[in-house]
Amino acid sequence: MSFSVTVFSHQKYDNNFLIPALKLHCGEAKVKTLPIALSTDTVELAGSSDAVCLFVNDIADKDVLTKLNAAGCKLILLRNAGFNNVDLEVAGELGMSVRRVPAYSPYAVAEMAVALLLAVVRKIPKAYNRVREHNFSISGLEGFDIRGKKIGILGTGNIGKIAAGILKGFGPSRLMGHDAYPSDECKAMGLEYVSLEELCQESDIISIHVPLFPSTYHIIGKETLAMMKPNVVIINTSRGGLVDAEALVDALKKNKIGGLAMDVYEHESSFFFHDCSDQVFGDDVLSRLLSFNNVIITAHQAFLTKEALEQISLTTVQNIIDFSENTSSRNEVKPVPKIDAVSPTK
């Protein structure tokens, strides 16, 4: 079966695994790459492609999906795990299949979360910059031991479970988790499931790993931040919309937060994956966050390992094969049941 694909939000690293794999399967002339994100303004660039291949900041809402379907598109290929940027109900109504890469490398993201934790706790960026300028003073670089601290894992799916396992090795005094679907594997390692309120109140360190649903939007906001201990450390490598960035600024100004490290940002689509160094930066909230010396922000790179990129390419091609052969797959995404994705665990 001849199959054409338009890849939106194409980056140079995609040329290492994804694009060669797609061209090998579909044919050189059947794969089109576009460096721009999919939106209402760019959807017509997909032409009559059988499928579009999307990343985290591409938008496949009702208008976009309707136009894609009218042009003959049958398949939405997500080269990531999250699917909050796709209107699944509309896709289903139009008879379009949505398939993702649910577990490209949960280790990559979990390890990045721990790396960010260590970087912010031990003030590594500040120390690195000092030494680069031949300033070898260590004054003001005091950190703290992770051992003996209370750690909360918000979301214990594939990534959260691995993060919990890594952090368990540091010897926390208490390892807590919160998820609508408790993991027996996490329980076996000694993780204790608690309510969202208790996790916020008791944790010295909180690492966020829940998916972004309407029920989890701004799950970390004014109310939950107010519950937290003074000098709490917050790590987010999941989705920017899980955290109210303006509430973070307020909490940082009041010295409520001891350290913050994020690989995602709620309004990242205008900036992340682009070089904006020669532009006037227009996001006041992100600029304010970057001004705090106890904040580390990276540009959504947690997934970016060779192993993950290879798995993304293999799974994406397999998703095309399964769709072409009308084969059911656990990678196909259906509309999300209307439940609280992180309701308190009893």
Side-chain angles (χ1 to χ4, degrees):
M1 175 183 178
S2 178
F3 207 89
S4 56
V5 181
T6 295
V7 180
F8 282 89
S9 296
H10 171 259
Q11 298 287 332
K12 288 183 179 180
Y13 59 75
D14 290 319
N15 295 331
N16 296 330
F17 296 102
L18 177 66
I19 303 307
L22 288 174
K23 288 183 175 180
L24 181 63
H25 177 73
C26 301
E28 186 91 18
K30 293 292 185 177
V31 179
K32 178 167 61 176
T33 61
L34 297 171
I36 56 177
L38 175 65
S39 67
T40 302
D41 296 328
T42 62
V43 63
E44 292 182 0
L45 296 175
S48 58
S49 294
D50 298 308
V52 290
C53 185
L54 311 182
F55 198 43
V56 292
N57 291 323
D58 293 303
I59 302 299
D61 57 16
K62 180 177 181 179
D63 185 41
V64 169
L65 289 172
T66 301
K67 290 178 179 178
L68 285 172
N69 183 66
C73 182
K74 314 176 191 71
L75 175 63
I76 309 296
L77 295 164
L78 300 173
R79 54 187 190 273
N80 54 278
F83 44 86
N84 55 283
N85 54 332
V86 180
D87 191 324
L88 297 177
E89 290 190 8
V90 171
E93 291 170 1
L94 294 172
M96 302 174 76
S97 178
V98 181
R99 306 199 179 205
R100 63 173 180 151
V101 183
Y104 40 88
S105 178
Y107 298 97
V109 181
E111 290 170 8
M112 181 70 170
V114 177
L116 287 172
L117 170 62
L118 290 169
V120 75
V121 164
R122 300 307 304 268
K123 300 178 173 63
I124 292 173
K126 188 175 182 179
Y128 170 79
N129 288 329
R130 278 190 188 180
V131 173
R132 290 277 294 178
E133 297 175 355
H134 299 168
N135 177 358
F136 301 100
S137 168
I138 61 172
S139 177
L141 298 180
E142 297 89 348
F144 63 78
D145 292 353
I146 296 175
R147 181 177 177 81
K149 299 299 183 292
K150 296 179 180 179
I151 300 177
I153 308 294
L154 186 50
T156 56
N158 288 329
I159 296 170
K161 178 173 60 180
I162 293 167
I166 297 171
L167 291 167
K168 173 71 173 177
F170 283 89
S173 62
R174 190 180 182 193
L175 184 63
M176 295 168 283
H178 177 72
D179 199 296
Y181 305 98
S183 161
D184 290 337
E185 190 173 342
C186 285
K187 290 179 182 178
M189 73 172 71
L191 181 142
E192 175 189 357
Y193 280 97
V194 298
S195 68
L196 176 61
E197 291 77 11
E198 185 174 353
L199 185 144
C200 290
Q201 292 167 353
E202 293 292 320
S203 298
D204 299 300
I205 297 164
I206 297 175
S207 191
I208 304 169
H209 302 286
V210 295
L212 179 58
F213 296 130
S215 60
T216 59
Y217 177 71
H218 284 183
I219 191 170
I220 301 299
K222 288 183 179 180
E223 290 186 9
T224 42
L225 285 167
M227 300 175 190
M228 295 179 190
K229 292 181 175 182
N231 296 314
V232 65
V233 175
I234 301 171
I235 312 297
N236 186 12
T237 54
S238 186
R239 285 290 184 270
L242 297 167
V243 180
D244 183 342
E246 293 187 11
L248 286 178
V249 170
D250 289 339
L252 285 160
K253 288 166 65 177
K254 296 174 182 175
N255 294 316
K256 175 77 172 182
I257 298 174
L260 171 68
M262 307 191 303
D263 186 54
V264 290
Y265 173 62
E266 184 173 359
H267 307 295
E268 68 180 55
S269 60
S270 299
F271 311 106
F272 284 19
F273 308 115
H274 305 289
D275 181 358
C276 302
S277 58
D278 61 347
Q279 302 174 20
V280 175
F281 200 67
D283 191 312
D284 293 341
V285 176
L286 182 54
S287 294
R288 189 69 179 93
L289 285 170
L290 289 168
S291 73
F292 293 100
N293 60 13
N294 59 342
V295 172
I296 297 174
I297 299 177
T298 50
H300 211 135
Q301 69 176 72
F303 76 98
L304 196 61
T305 65
K306 293 179 180 178
E307 293 83 357
L309 292 174
E310 184 174 16
Q311 188 58 52
I312 287 170
S313 67
L314 293 173
T315 305
T316 300
V317 169
Q318 187 61 50
N319 284 340
I320 294 174
I321 294 171
D322 290 343
F323 174 79
S324 301
E325 296 178 352
N326 199 26
T327 302
S328 62
S329 169
R330 69 183 185 91
N331 299 341
E332 187 168 17
V333 187
K334 301 292 186 179
V336 181
K338 296 183 182 302
I339 62 169
D340 186 345
V342 285
S343 57
T345 304
K346 295 182 180 179

